[in-house]
Amino acid sequence: MRILVTGGAGYIGSTAVDILMSQGFDVNILDDCSTGHADNVPAGTTFIQGSLLNTSDIGQALKGCDAVMHFAGKSLVGESVEKPELYWSVNVGGTRNLLDEMRRANIQKLIFSSSAATYGEPEVLPISEGAPTRPTNAYGATKLAIDAMITDEARGHGLCAASLRYFNVAGCLKSARGWLTERHNPETHLIPNVLRSTSANPVKIFGSDWPTKDGTCIRDYVHVVDLIDAHIKALNSLGKTGHEIFNLGSGGGYSVREVLAASSSAIGKEIAFVDSPRRAGDPAVLIADISKAERVLNWKPTRDIGAMVGDTLASFG
Ligand code: UDP
């Protein structure tokens, strides 16, 4: 079976490529390398360095494929607030093109990287797939719009699809060509920022007055290898026409201070930090209800926060 992995040169997409290949899948990759890295692309794949905004690039990338894992897209909340047009054009416009080209090529299986940002500020925790969807930024709004587009495509044209709503993805995989780790510039994610913290440049804790046990935000972290395991299970579950949505997290939460503590024990020394104002758009607590993925996909995350921190630390060399 040949899979097109869009965004296959990025952090999560390249991890998917590696695991798919290790399980015997053939892989095509479409990535414009705007945030991905060509050196993440392994030998043995068909790599099209191209854009979802160019339908002939998509057509070329789909050649010989039976299914698509769609990771490509813009994914920074802050940037999406400043440049919503970029997010609507690349994420929604790009996915519209992908769906059109898949229909033309008669490819009917799709796994899509959606996000917990589709839910916005939760009323009830943990967050289930039936929770209200009220995104608080353009990033979440575009992921929600794409989910709706996929539902319509399934209804109208027989697509078989699953949208996987990620909570906080962390950790990394060591491949034959090195660690497939987060390489964002600037880095905004907590775990890499904590691990790079120095007394000269301490990590900022965004808010210590949240209504939580220690005053810092709580998030649900899931290891990228567990996340991709869910993608493959979701792919294998696609059979009949339709669109299913699954939350992917761990089902539990860690506060920012608890992530600092886990990092401190991995490094073996105190982590320098500075208490800072809250970051705009941050909800206090996000925890996934993952019971649907456990029940329907027979999926269970197995790597804890210690593994996520430990792998990220090892990847820094
Ligand atoms: N955070 C922080 N300092 C940082 C980066 C993040 O205190 O340098 C906090 C952030 O406010 C949130 C949590 O850590 O509560 C996770 O943030 P991250 O950007 O990793 O993921 P997000 O939840 O925004 O997807």
Side-chain angles (χ1 to χ4, degrees):
M1 189 173 191
R2 182 170 287 274
I3 316 286
L4 169 61
V5 179
T6 74
Y11 160 54
I12 301 176
S14 66
T15 306
V17 168
D18 225 69
I19 296 175
L20 283 166
M21 290 177 82
S22 73
Q23 296 192 12
F25 290 91
D26 296 313
V27 174
N28 290 4
I29 294 173
L30 175 66
D31 200 302
D32 65 4
C33 291
S34 57
T35 52
H37 305 270
D39 63 6
N40 274 342
V41 173
T45 57
T46 301
F47 176 37
I48 288 89
Q49 184 164 350
S51 168
L52 286 170
L53 300 180
N54 181 330
T55 53
S56 74
D57 288 349
I58 301 173
Q60 204 190 331
L62 284 170
K63 283 211 178 94
C65 289
D66 308 287
V68 177
M69 285 193 186
H70 178 30
F71 298 92
K74 296 280 166 197
S75 63
L76 295 178
V77 167
E79 184 185 54
S80 82
V81 175
E82 284 161 24
K83 300 179 190 167
E85 69 286 4
L86 180 69
Y87 279 67
W88 283 92
S89 148
V90 173
N91 290 0
V92 178
T95 306
R96 182 67 261 156
N97 289 341
L98 177 65
L99 292 174
D100 290 342
E101 292 307 309
M102 285 177 67
R103 197 164 65 251
R104 231 184 295 279
N106 201 25
I107 297 169
Q108 296 200 307
K109 292 185 174 184
L110 174 69
I111 305 296
F112 172 58
S113 302
S114 187
S115 169
T118 51
Y119 297 114
E121 187 80 49
E123 276 167 19
V124 176
L125 291 166
I127 303 169
S128 72
E129 292 82 356
T133 43
R134 290 185 291 243
T136 53
N137 51 63
Y139 168 63
T142 61
K143 290 289 183 181
L144 185 59
I146 296 167
D147 283 345
M149 211 157 68
I150 293 172
T151 300
D152 286 346
E153 194 72 14
R155 208 176 280 141
H157 298 299
L159 187 72
C160 309
S163 287
L164 307 181
R165 290 188 173 160
Y166 306 168
F167 281 65
N168 286 63
V169 185
C172 49
L173 173 70
K174 189 173 192 181
S175 73
R177 58 202 184 285
W179 288 97
L180 302 172
T181 197
E182 296 193 65
R183 283 193 273 165
H184 303 121
N185 187 17
E187 184 54 76
T188 60
H189 288 142
L190 179 64
I191 292 176
N193 282 352
V194 165
L195 294 173
R196 289 201 180 98
S197 179
T198 61
S199 49
N201 197 6
V203 63
K204 291 181 178 149
I205 294 188
F206 295 140
S208 42
D209 57 349
W210 295 94
T212 60
K213 56 191 173 185
D214 64 14
T216 63
C217 287
I218 295 178
R219 292 289 179 273
D220 182 339
Y221 296 87
V222 58
H223 196 291
V224 66
V225 172
D226 285 328
L227 186 92
I228 300 306
D229 177 41
H231 284 65
I232 295 174
K233 288 191 157 77
L235 177 68
N236 290 334
S237 80
L238 297 181
K240 54 183 184 350
T241 294
H243 179 210
E244 289 290 336
I245 292 177
F246 297 96
N247 287 343
L248 298 182
S250 70
Y254 290 93
S255 72
V256 173
R257 290 203 201 286
E258 286 171 336
V259 171
L260 254 83
S263 306
S264 173
S265 62
I267 292 183
K269 65 176 171 71
E270 292 295 303
I271 307 273
F273 67 89
V274 55
D275 284 317
S276 301
R278 292 180 177 191
R279 186 172 70 176
D282 265 344
V285 185
L286 291 176
I287 296 175
D289 176 344
I290 58 168
S291 55
K292 182 177 176 188
E294 290 180 322
R295 192 178 67 251
V296 177
L297 302 179
N298 196 23
W299 173 73
K300 207 168 191 55
T302 60
R303 294 160 183 84
D304 65 7
I305 194 80
M308 296 178 222
V309 167
D311 292 345
T312 309
L313 184 62
S315 76
F316 292 165

Coordinates of all heavy atoms in Angstrom, one line a residue, residues 77 167-169 187-194 203-207 210 216-219 221 256 260 278-279 282-284 286, ligand 1:
V77 N -0.4 29.1 16.7 CA -1.5 29.9 17.1 C -1.3 31.4 17.0 O -2.1 32.1 16.4 CB -1.9 29.5 18.6 CG1 -2.9 30.5 19.2 CG2 -2.4 28.1 18.6
F167 N -3.8 16.8 21.0 CA -3.6 17.7 22.1 C -2.1 18.1 22.0 O -1.7 18.6 21.0 CB -4.1 17.0 23.4 CG -5.6 17.1 23.5 CD1 -6.4 16.4 22.6 CD2 -6.2 17.9 24.4 CE1 -7.8 16.6 22.6 CE2 -7.6 18.1 24.5 CZ -8.4 17.4 23.5
N168 N -1.3 18.0 23.1 CA 0.1 18.5 23.0 C 1.1 17.4 22.6 O 1.3 16.5 23.4 CB 0.5 19.1 24.3 CG -0.2 20.5 24.5 OD1 -1.4 20.5 24.6 ND2 0.6 21.5 24.5
V169 N 1.6 17.4 21.4 CA 2.5 16.4 20.9 C 3.9 16.7 21.3 O 4.4 17.9 21.2 CB 2.4 16.3 19.3 CG1 3.2 15.1 18.8 CG2 1.0 16.2 18.9
E187 N 11.3 28.6 18.4 CA 10.6 27.5 19.1 C 9.6 28.1 20.1 O 10.0 29.0 20.9 CB 11.6 26.6 19.8 CG 11.0 25.4 20.5 CD 10.2 24.5 19.5 OE1 10.8 23.8 18.7 OE2 9.0 24.6 19.6
T188 N 8.4 27.7 20.0 CA 7.4 28.2 21.0 C 6.9 27.1 22.0 O 6.3 27.4 22.9 CB 6.1 28.7 20.2 OG1 5.6 27.6 19.5 CG2 6.4 29.8 19.3
H189 N 7.3 25.8 21.7 CA 6.7 24.8 22.6 C 7.5 24.6 23.9 O 8.7 24.8 24.0 CB 6.7 23.4 21.8 CG 5.7 23.4 20.7 ND1 5.8 22.9 19.5 CD2 4.4 24.0 20.7 CE1 4.7 23.1 18.7 NE2 3.9 23.7 19.5
L190 N 6.7 24.2 24.9 CA 7.2 24.2 26.3 C 8.4 23.3 26.5 O 9.4 23.7 27.0 CB 6.1 23.8 27.2 CG 6.5 23.8 28.7 CD1 6.9 25.2 29.2 CD2 5.4 23.2 29.5
I191 N 8.3 22.0 26.1 CA 9.4 21.1 26.4 C 10.7 21.5 25.8 O 11.7 21.6 26.6 CB 9.0 19.6 26.1 CG1 7.8 19.2 27.1 CG2 10.1 18.6 26.3 CD1 7.2 17.9 26.9
P192 N 10.8 21.7 24.5 CA 12.2 22.2 24.0 C 12.6 23.4 24.7 O 13.8 23.6 25.0 CB 12.0 22.4 22.5 CG 10.6 22.0 22.2 CD 9.9 21.5 23.5
N193 N 11.7 24.4 24.9 CA 12.2 25.6 25.6 C 12.7 25.4 27.0 O 13.7 26.0 27.4 CB 11.0 26.6 25.6 CG 10.8 27.3 24.3 OD1 11.6 27.1 23.4 ND2 9.8 28.1 24.1
V194 N 12.0 24.5 27.7 CA 12.5 24.2 29.1 C 13.9 23.5 29.0 O 14.8 23.9 29.8 CB 11.5 23.2 29.8 CG1 12.1 22.6 31.0 CG2 10.2 24.0 30.1
V203 N 13.6 30.0 30.7 CA 12.3 29.8 30.1 C 11.3 30.6 30.8 O 11.4 30.7 32.1 CB 11.9 28.3 30.1 CG1 11.8 27.7 31.5 CG2 10.7 28.0 29.3
K204 N 10.4 31.2 30.1 CA 9.3 32.0 30.7 C 8.1 31.0 31.0 O 7.7 30.3 30.2 CB 8.8 33.0 29.7 CG 9.8 34.1 29.4 CD 9.2 35.1 28.5 CE 10.2 36.2 28.3 NZ 10.1 36.8 26.9
I205 N 7.6 31.2 32.2 CA 6.4 30.4 32.6 C 5.3 31.4 32.4 O 5.2 32.5 33.0 CB 6.4 30.0 34.1 CG1 7.5 28.9 34.2 CG2 5.1 29.4 34.5 CD1 7.5 28.2 35.5
F206 N 4.4 31.1 31.4 CA 3.3 32.0 31.0 C 2.2 32.0 32.0 O 1.2 31.2 31.7 CB 2.9 31.8 29.6 CG 4.0 32.0 28.5 CD1 4.1 31.1 27.5 CD2 4.8 33.1 28.6 CE1 5.1 31.3 26.5 CE2 5.8 33.3 27.7 CZ 5.9 32.4 26.6
G207 N 2.3 32.7 33.1 CA 1.2 32.8 34.0 C 1.3 31.8 35.2 O 1.6 30.6 35.0
W210 N -3.1 30.9 37.3 CA -4.3 30.2 36.7 C -5.0 29.4 37.8 O -4.4 29.1 38.8 CB -3.7 29.2 35.6 CG -3.1 29.9 34.4 CD1 -1.8 30.1 34.3 CD2 -3.7 30.4 33.3 NE1 -1.5 30.8 33.0 CE2 -2.8 30.9 32.4 CE3 -5.1 30.5 32.8 CZ2 -3.0 31.5 31.2 CZ3 -5.4 31.0 31.6 CH2 -4.4 31.5 30.8
T216 N -0.2 27.1 37.3 CA 0.3 27.1 35.9 C -0.7 26.3 35.1 O -1.4 25.4 35.6 CB 1.7 26.6 35.8 OG1 1.8 25.3 36.2 CG2 2.7 27.5 36.6
C217 N -0.6 26.5 33.8 CA -1.5 25.8 32.8 C -1.3 24.3 32.8 O -0.2 23.9 32.9 CB -1.3 26.3 31.4 SG -2.0 28.0 31.1
I218 N -2.4 23.6 32.6 CA -2.3 22.1 32.5 C -2.6 21.7 31.0 O -3.5 22.2 30.5 CB -3.2 21.5 33.5 CG1 -2.8 21.8 34.9 CG2 -3.3 19.9 33.2 CD1 -3.7 21.2 36.0
R219 N -1.7 20.8 30.5 CA -1.9 20.4 29.1 C -1.8 18.8 29.1 O -1.1 18.2 30.0 CB -0.8 20.9 28.2 CG -0.9 22.4 28.0 CD -2.1 22.8 27.1 NE -2.3 24.2 26.9 CZ -2.9 25.0 27.7 NH1 -3.5 24.6 28.8 NH2 -3.0 26.3 27.4
Y221 N -0.1 15.9 27.3 CA 1.0 15.6 26.4 C 1.0 14.2 25.9 O 0.8 13.3 26.7 CB 2.4 15.9 27.1 CG 2.5 17.3 27.5 CD1 2.0 17.8 28.7 CD2 3.1 18.3 26.6 CE1 2.1 19.2 29.0 CE2 3.2 19.6 26.9 CZ 2.7 20.0 28.1 OH 2.8 21.4 28.5
V256 N 2.6 23.2 33.9 CA 3.9 23.7 33.4 C 5.0 23.4 34.4 O 6.1 23.0 34.1 CB 3.8 25.2 33.1 CG1 5.2 25.8 32.7 CG2 2.9 25.5 31.9
L260 N 8.5 21.2 34.2 CA 9.8 21.6 34.6 C 10.4 20.6 35.6 O 11.6 20.3 35.5 CB 9.7 23.0 35.4 CG 10.2 24.2 34.5 CD1 9.1 24.6 33.6 CD2 10.6 25.3 35.4
R278 N 0.6 35.9 31.5 CA -0.1 34.9 30.7 C 0.1 35.1 29.2 O 0.2 36.3 28.8 CB -1.6 35.0 31.0 CG -2.0 34.5 32.4 CD -3.5 34.6 32.6 NE -3.9 34.1 33.9 CZ -5.2 33.9 34.2 NH1 -6.1 34.1 33.4 NH2 -5.5 33.4 35.4
R279 N 0.1 34.1 28.4 CA 0.1 34.2 27.0 C -1.3 34.3 26.4 O -2.2 33.5 26.8 CB 0.8 33.0 26.4 CG 1.1 33.0 25.0 CD 2.0 31.8 24.5 NE 1.3 30.5 24.6 CZ 1.8 29.4 24.2 NH1 3.1 29.3 23.8 NH2 1.2 28.3 24.3
D282 N -4.3 31.4 25.7 CA -4.1 30.1 26.4 C -5.3 29.8 27.3 O -5.6 30.5 28.2 CB -2.8 30.2 27.3 CG -1.6 29.7 26.7 OD1 -1.7 29.0 25.7 OD2 -0.5 30.0 27.2
P283 N -5.9 28.6 27.1 CA -6.9 28.2 28.2 C -6.1 27.6 29.4 O -5.0 27.2 29.2 CB -7.7 27.0 27.4 CG -7.2 27.0 26.0 CD -5.9 27.7 26.0
A284 N -6.8 27.6 30.5 CA -6.1 27.1 31.8 C -5.8 25.6 31.7 O -4.7 25.2 32.0 CB -7.0 27.4 33.0
L286 N -6.4 21.9 29.4 CA -6.8 21.1 28.3 C -6.5 19.6 28.5 O -5.3 19.3 28.6 CB -6.2 21.5 26.9 CG -6.6 22.9 26.4 CD1 -5.8 23.3 25.2 CD2 -8.1 23.0 26.1
Ligands
UDP1 N1 4.5 27.6 27.9 C1 5.3 28.3 28.8 N2 6.5 28.7 28.4 C2 6.9 28.5 27.1 C3 6.1 27.8 26.2 C4 4.9 27.3 26.7 O1 4.9 28.6 30.0 O2 8.0 28.9 26.7 C5 3.2 27.1 28.4 C6 2.0 27.6 27.6 O3 1.5 28.8 28.1 C7 1.0 26.4 27.7 C8 1.9 25.2 27.9 O4 3.2 25.7 28.3 O5 0.3 26.6 28.9 C9 2.1 24.4 26.6 O6 2.4 25.4 25.6 P1 2.9 24.9 24.1 O7 3.3 26.1 23.3 O8 4.0 23.9 24.3 O9 1.7 24.2 23.5 P2 0.2 24.7 23.2 O10 -0.6 24.2 24.4 O11 0.2 26.1 23.0 O12 -0.2 23.9 22.0

